[in-house]
Amino acid sequence: MDKQKCAIRCSGITKTFGSVVANDGIELDVQYGEILALLGENGSGKTTLMNMISGIYHPDKGQIYVSGQPVSISSPIDAQNLGIGMIHQHFKLVEVFTAMENIVLGTPGKLPGKKALKQQVTQLCENYGLDIDPEKPVYEMSVSEKQTVEILKVLYRGAKILILDEPTAVLTPQETEKLFAILRQMKAKGCAIIIITHKLNEVLSISDRVTILRKGKSVGSVETAGVDAAKLTELMVGHAVSLSIERPEPKDVHTILKVVNLTVAKPDGSKGLDDVSFQIRSGEILGVAGIAGSGQKELCETIAGLLPAQEGAILYKKENILGKSPEQIIDLGISMSFVPEDRLGMGLVASMGMPDNMLLKSYRKGKGPFVDRAPAKELSKKLVEKLGIVTSSIEAPVRLMSGGNVQKVLLGREIESCPNLLITAYPVRGLDINSSYVIYDLLNQQKQKGVAVMFIGEDLDVLLELCDRILVLCHGKITGVVDAKTVTKEQIGLMMTGEMTEEEKKKEADEA
Amino acid sequence: MNPTVKNTREPLFHVVKHAERSTKETVVLRLVAVLLSIVAGGLFILAIGQNPIAVYGTILEGSFRSQMAIQATIKFAIPLCICALGVTLAFKMKFWNVGGEGQLIMGAVFASFFALNFPNWNHWVLVIVMLLAGCIGGGLWGVLAAFFKVKWGTNETLLTLMLNYIALHLVSYLQAGPWRDPAANGFSKIARFDKNVALDKVFGVHFGWIIMLVLVAFVWIYLKKSKQGYEISVVGESQDTARYAGIDVKKVILRTMFISGAIAGLAGACQVSGSDMTLSMGVAGGVGFTAIIVAWLCQLNPAMILVVSFLFGVLEKGSSVVQSTFGLSSDCADVLQGIILFFILGSEFFVRYSFVGRSKKGVSR
């Protein structure tokens, strides 16, 4: 048993991609029996750093020490041999395999027998206080169970150093608590844990120490006990930031879009949306909460006319828009800004510059066979000025812009088309704090102009502060539409897992 | 408890992706590639016991020494350039049309139908009908693959590739059967077209070169300025984005593949009526495949395609002279072509990546 307490020490780590310095002389250390939170805005180099520790990249400069020894980690196998395990945000599991089959998959040596394997896994679960049925197939598992399998996978490989990349993004508040309990138990067993998260309250509740990165540099490490959210934000952004979101009172509220008994199938045949009915009103922001994949995507795409529905109707000013083409729907003034995980995959054309992206929905308008680019150029210049978009030139491909600027381009275009309904899915996903607040302000401006805004979000704190009403989805069903001013985070958390409050059940019965 | 620490050495070099290189750097890189390819080609010529400078000189001299030689060089370039312009449209949409060869042949077949059956029509009527028929033949052959793609999601690369062979063997059937020249003493070949069929010559070369220049401009304007060209770019980049913007993706794919095939078909029509004056198995002669390389080499830039096609013409004509002068087999010319292509296409890797050695820490740029 090594007495060395230091699990990982990074010293002067530098990594460049082309002309971009992703990591610049980063210092970081984590001890066995400690939970370290890695905090930083997007593009501050967290993921790059973790990828170097887990052997995906190789640093250009600097040295990584594991248990005090200098090491060179040139592949994930090396990292595994050094006892480093990374749990990615997106699970890498074989759906048709059971928990234990996934756990043993890819380990060297002879495959243990089924019985022995089950015993090993159960033993491991007991050691760390994890709870999973080893013989349950992955496709039957909830998100948090899948995450448990991911954790077991790295523990089975003998990892003593765990890196978790935004593990709570897909969890409900209740599941997050459960995960944190597991992490605390692992810490008690002497594991070193690095957790990456954007949510400050989680950082405060789980970590012992916080290392903050800003623009590729480590700005320092602080004991969690001695700081609060405001202080952390200040360290992260470099100056003090007000953390409250405005919520102007909705005025002149009237229903603009009515969704009635909408049922939509996913490509695999299962129900993406199941008998969903609700209303979107002008002059207010309707939040949509739910665990990832609860039907949010189907909801947006059906309203925008991209997905066919099986049953139901969508009434826009009393006209059923189901079955209309996206082109016809755009002409009705329903502008949808849909931002999927891959931001540049749907709303924008990554390799084109701003003007060509501005044209995406309007290029048909001019007469004749040619595209008129002059107005699009004007619009691009206007947006750059108005929203403070940072780009080398408006003609530079939008993929070269940072996430926040890409988002501003997309949202700017949608807003400039003067919509009366604006649907935004995860508009601040991956954005830093400053950019997020710019986006919130933009949405509030639209709301005050009388636009109906549908905001699909993942951070419940933001939903609670920004929205007027919150619609909660669970497995494609609506488990409640609640007043954001009075509901608590815990109540929404319960609804996200399908527990309807008595009141809600009654209300639904009344409506039906 | 502590894991064993294995101290491995850093790999000898790793490949690093660049930021976008400036245009100047890219041009320099490509020029270096061309020089290197000439040197490597020279080594090859040396290895087979010839004087590289003399051989290279003959290639240049052979393609430019007389007006006739220049005309022959241009004649080589015409089908290649037109066909490359055709596949460019499909490639811009990321539709991997490797069926330029087949589309060219079908264009030639459709044009030949009129050339063989109605040689007595008014010359200009016949020429226009032939060229249109060529477009339709190639276009239909192209749209066939697109139709299966949008209907059942078939793989366009396989389908267009297979259609090449069907087209080729259709010609073999025609020349052995229905269209066989009765005057050929049992040889299976198609009769030479009537003089009335021949495309008129302008400056000594059939006017296919004018069509080629017009098409260069057309493709450039179509892709850069037209709404349909814009749709092609969006569909090529992301079909999800296209659907989101209200573009009818299927319609765009079908339409673009028709135009792509039609342009290749036009090359075929020009080839039979301007150059070959008959339809034979060798009508395409691999032009449809070389066109793919030309289109990529030029990064789908129509003006560059014109230049590079001409250079290919030089190589082609020049090596035929080398063949007769030095008694080298035509395979040697192909090897030379291969070497040059290898270097130039290889340079594309260095436009995007560079190697970083172990000793030199940090990335150069």
Side-chain angles (χ1 to χ4, degrees):
Chain A
M1 181 92 179
D2 200 323
K3 285 281 177 285
Q4 182 59 260
K5 284 278 283 176
C6 186
I8 287 186
R9 189 159 75 80
C10 295
S11 152
I13 299 289
T14 299
K15 175 82 187 167
T16 49
F17 295 103
S19 55
V20 181
V21 184
N23 278 184
D24 185 4
I26 290 201
E27 305 285 333
L28 171 143
D29 70 280
V30 57
Q31 317 285 325
Y32 287 114
E34 183 187 51
I35 298 180
L36 178 81
L38 192 58
L39 195 60
E41 296 189 78
N42 251 78
S44 60
K46 303 182 299 274
T47 309
T48 307
L49 181 63
M50 289 307 114
N51 279 340
M52 279 189 277
I53 294 177
S54 52
I56 294 169
Y57 299 143
H58 200 278
D60 298 334
K61 248 186 239 163
Q63 185 63 55
I64 299 173
Y65 300 86
V66 173
S67 305
Q69 308 265 10
V71 291
S72 169
I73 309 169
S74 27
S75 73
I77 304 277
D78 285 358
Q80 189 184 313
N81 291 338
L82 289 165
I84 301 168
M86 178 133 177
I87 291 147
H88 295 270
Q89 197 179 348
H90 302 285
F91 304 136
K92 299 173 186 332
L93 297 171
V94 184
E95 291 273 316
V96 293
F97 280 13
T98 63
M100 59 183 198
E101 281 166 343
N102 266 291
I103 289 165
V104 80
L105 197 69
T107 50
K110 205 166 160 262
L111 204 64
K114 213 173 163 185
K115 234 177 171 177
L117 181 62
K118 190 176 170 184
Q119 223 238 314
Q120 281 174 358
V121 173
T122 318
Q123 182 66 42
L124 207 57
C125 283
E126 269 172 30
N127 280 349
Y128 290 95
L130 296 165
D131 180 27
I132 194 95
D133 175 3
E135 291 185 271
K136 189 173 183 177
V138 169
Y139 62 82
E140 285 183 3
M141 288 184 185
S142 70
V143 179
S144 99
E145 281 177 302
K146 285 181 193 170
Q147 197 165 48
T148 309
V149 176
E150 284 283 357
I151 294 174
L152 275 167
K153 242 166 83 178
V154 296
L155 289 176
Y156 185 83
R157 287 157 176 73
K160 292 291 285 173
I161 303 163
L162 272 87
I163 303 167
L164 297 102
D165 189 1
E166 299 205 35
T168 60
V170 289
L171 303 181
T172 63
Q174 285 81 3
E175 286 170 329
T176 303
E177 259 325 301
K178 229 163 106 190
L179 171 72
F180 284 179
I182 294 168
L183 294 184
R184 287 194 190 97
Q185 190 136 11
M186 285 164 51
K187 169 180 132 182
K189 291 268 172 193
C191 290
I193 295 165
I194 302 176
I195 179 168
I196 300 177
T197 171
H198 279 292
K199 300 177 188 167
L200 295 177
N201 54 353
E202 289 177 4
V203 172
L204 293 170
S205 82
I206 185 74
S207 68
D208 300 304
R209 247 170 359 106
V210 190
T211 294
I212 296 128
L213 302 186
R214 191 199 310 153
K215 291 179 183 152
K217 293 190 170 118
S218 41
V219 284
S221 293
V222 289
E223 297 286 332
T224 312
V227 289
D228 57 11
K231 177 74 189 155
L232 285 178
T233 314
E234 202 183 318
L235 282 168
M236 197 157 77
V237 184
H239 53 85
V241 176
S242 152
L243 284 179
S244 64
I245 303 172
E246 270 183 71
R247 176 161 45 198
E249 269 306 307
K251 49 186 181 199
D252 192 21
V253 173
H254 60 273
T255 299
I256 184 166
L257 195 86
K258 214 168 154 180
V259 175
V260 190
N261 304 111
L262 189 66
T263 299
V264 176
K266 284 191 195 174
D268 63 3
S270 66
K271 276 185 180 170
L273 286 177
D274 190 358
D275 199 15
V276 163
S277 302
F278 67 97
Q279 297 171 358
I280 302 176
R281 302 185 205 149
S282 64
E284 71 165 21
I285 298 182
L286 173 70
V288 177
I291 305 166
S294 298
Q296 295 95 325
K297 189 168 177 250
E298 287 76 12
L299 189 59
C300 294
E301 295 195 357
T302 315
I303 296 177
L306 297 172
L307 263 185
Q310 289 179 311
E311 268 170 60
I314 300 173
L315 304 172
Y316 175 75
K317 292 181 177 164
K318 304 213 167 111
E319 189 178 353
N320 191 1
I321 60 166
L322 261 192
K324 288 203 193 307
S325 73
E327 198 181 338
Q328 289 166 316
I329 293 174
I330 291 168
D331 288 341
L332 279 172
I334 304 182
S335 156
M336 186 178 87
S337 161
F338 181 58
V339 190
E341 280 169 72
D342 176 11
R343 275 188 222 112
L344 297 166
M346 199 161 196
L348 295 171
V349 184
S351 66
M352 293 183 180
M354 274 182 76
D356 276 9
N357 271 300
M358 293 298 132
L359 283 167
L360 202 55
K361 282 182 176 176
S362 56
Y363 75 94
R364 288 184 209 89
K365 285 206 182 101
K367 279 191 187 130
F370 297 113
V371 176
D372 184 9
R373 282 186 165 77
K377 256 186 198 156
E378 284 308 308
L379 178 59
S380 310
K381 281 183 199 152
K382 187 173 144 199
L383 282 182
V384 166
E385 217 164 284
K386 200 166 138 196
L387 303 180
I389 295 169
V390 182
T391 173
S392 54
S393 116
I394 55 168
E395 298 287 353
V398 292
R399 80 186 132 83
L400 298 179
M401 295 183 186
S402 73
N405 287 311
V406 166
Q407 188 63 49
K408 284 181 200 167
V409 172
L410 180 52
L411 208 56
R413 182 186 73 203
E414 298 305 316
I415 289 171
E416 286 301 323
S417 68
C418 295
N420 29 29
L421 170 64
L422 185 63
I423 301 171
T424 60
Y426 312 115
V428 298
R429 175 178 282 176
L431 297 200
D432 57 44
I433 291 183
N434 277 326
S435 305
S436 299
Y437 278 76
V438 171
I439 304 289
Y440 300 147
D441 283 347
L442 279 174
L443 293 178
N444 270 329
Q445 278 169 21
Q446 290 300 302
K447 166 181 163 180
Q448 282 170 304
K449 270 169 117 184
V451 175
V453 181
M454 189 163 122
F455 178 99
I456 290 140
E458 46 197 347
D459 191 333
L460 290 183
D461 294 307
V462 171
L463 281 170
L464 286 170
E465 278 187 69
L466 178 71
C467 303
D468 300 297
R469 291 184 303 146
I470 296 176
L471 180 159
V472 188
L473 280 173
C474 173
H475 297 306
K477 285 192 172 151
I478 293 184
T479 48
V481 181
V482 292
D483 183 352
K485 283 186 214 102
T486 52
V487 76
T488 66
K489 201 167 153 185
E490 284 65 36
Q491 283 170 323
I492 292 184
L494 284 174
M495 286 193 247
M496 279 162 73
T497 50
E499 306 253 342
M500 258 188 254
T501 56
E502 284 304 310
E503 211 178 313
E504 281 298 327
K505 274 184 194 157
K506 229 175 98 191
K507 220 166 131 193
E508 200 179 54
D510 288 348
E511 274 174 12
Chain B
M1 276 309 277
N2 217 17
T4 47
V5 176
K6 202 176 58 174
N7 201 349
T8 48
R9 283 192 80 187
E10 194 187 323
L12 192 61
F13 59 82
H14 31 232
V15 177
V16 175
K17 196 170 177 171
H18 285 285
E20 323 255 310
R21 276 194 199 263
S22 68
T23 327
K24 199 179 141 200
E25 280 179 308
T26 323
V27 169
V28 169
L29 210 63
R30 298 224 170 94
L31 283 179
V32 169
V34 171
L35 281 178
L36 281 176
S37 69
I38 289 171
V39 171
L43 288 176
F44 167 73
I45 296 166
L46 214 56
I48 54 173
Q50 300 287 349
N51 178 357
I53 294 165
V55 171
Y56 281 136
T58 311
I59 288 182
L60 284 179
E61 200 213 330
S63 32
F64 294 108
R65 63 180 161 192
S66 64
Q67 209 183 353
M68 272 218 354
I70 297 175
Q71 285 164 358
T73 306
I74 293 172
K75 243 158 117 180
F76 275 118
I78 293 170
L80 183 61
C81 179
I82 297 181
C83 204
L85 290 170
V87 295
T88 292
L89 289 182
F91 287 169
K92 191 78 189 173
M93 196 172 63
K94 303 234 165 83
F95 187 101
W96 308 123
N97 174 20
V98 294
E101 187 94 350
Q103 289 145 20
L104 187 150
I105 294 174
M106 287 313 282
V109 168
F110 271 54
S112 299
F113 173 81
F114 290 96
L116 291 169
N117 291 301
F118 309 102
N120 299 323
W121 281 7
N122 170 290
H123 173 68
W124 282 105
V125 171
L126 180 61
V127 164
I128 290 169
V129 166
M130 271 193 324
L131 294 180
L132 280 179
C135 286
I136 291 170
L140 289 178
W141 215 238
V143 100
L144 196 60
F147 172 76
F148 286 106
K149 168 93 176 180
V150 299
K151 195 86 182 162
W152 292 292
T154 52
N155 180 320
E156 75 267 21
T157 314
L158 285 177
L159 222 64
T160 48
L161 190 65
M162 293 307 168
L163 285 171
N164 287 340
Y165 300 112
I166 297 178
L168 187 64
H169 291 287
L170 182 69
V171 174
S172 135
Y173 162 76
L174 287 173
Q175 71 180 17
W179 290 1
R180 182 154 82 181
D181 182 7
N185 299 327
F187 267 118
S188 81
K189 78 187 231 339
I190 294 170
R192 209 174 152 73
F193 296 164
D194 190 273
K195 277 212 173 63
N196 183 35
V197 171
L199 296 186
D200 302 76
K201 290 194 170 162
V202 181
F203 299 125
V205 186
H206 67 85
F207 72 79
W209 66 270
I210 298 178
I211 295 178
M212 168 177 84
L213 291 181
V214 169
L215 279 175
V216 168
F218 167 77
V219 169
W220 189 82
I221 292 170
Y222 185 73
L223 284 178
K224 285 264 177 190
K225 301 282 174 194
S226 79
K227 291 178 179 174
Q228 298 192 353
Y230 179 76
E231 286 173 351
I232 292 176
S233 310
V234 176
V235 169
E237 189 66 38
S238 157
Q239 297 203 358
D240 277 340
T241 308
R243 283 193 319 127
Y244 163 85
I247 294 172
D248 186 341
V249 174
K250 290 182 179 175
K251 192 176 107 192
V252 173
I253 292 180
L254 289 172
R255 182 181 67 207
T256 308
M257 266 313 285
F258 181 82
I259 302 174
S260 172
I263 293 177
L266 194 56
C270 289
Q271 189 64 17
V272 286
S273 59
S275 182
D276 297 355
M277 288 308 286
T278 183
L279 177 66
S280 72
M281 293 282 283
V283 58
V287 159
F289 293 110
T290 315
I292 296 169
I293 301 171
V294 171
W296 272 127
L297 203 59
C298 304
Q299 312 209 302
L300 310 183
N301 176 340
M304 282 298 291
I305 287 176
L306 181 65
V307 173
V308 172
S309 298
F310 181 73
L311 292 179
F312 265 83
V314 170
L315 205 59
E316 196 79 32
K317 173 71 180 68
S319 1
S320 72
V321 177
V322 168
Q323 263 176 58
S324 49
T325 317
F326 292 84
L328 293 177
S329 87
S330 65
D331 300 330
C332 292
D334 286 345
V335 170
L336 267 183
Q337 255 192 38
I339 290 174
I340 292 172
L341 282 177
F342 176 83
F343 273 88
I344 294 172
L345 292 176
S347 76
E348 296 305 310
F349 175 83
F350 291 94
V351 172
R352 254 162 265 151
Y353 302 94
S354 57
F355 290 107
V356 175
R358 171 163 49 196
S359 52
K360 205 176 88 204
K361 296 277 177 134
V363 186
S364 51
R365 247 206 68 125

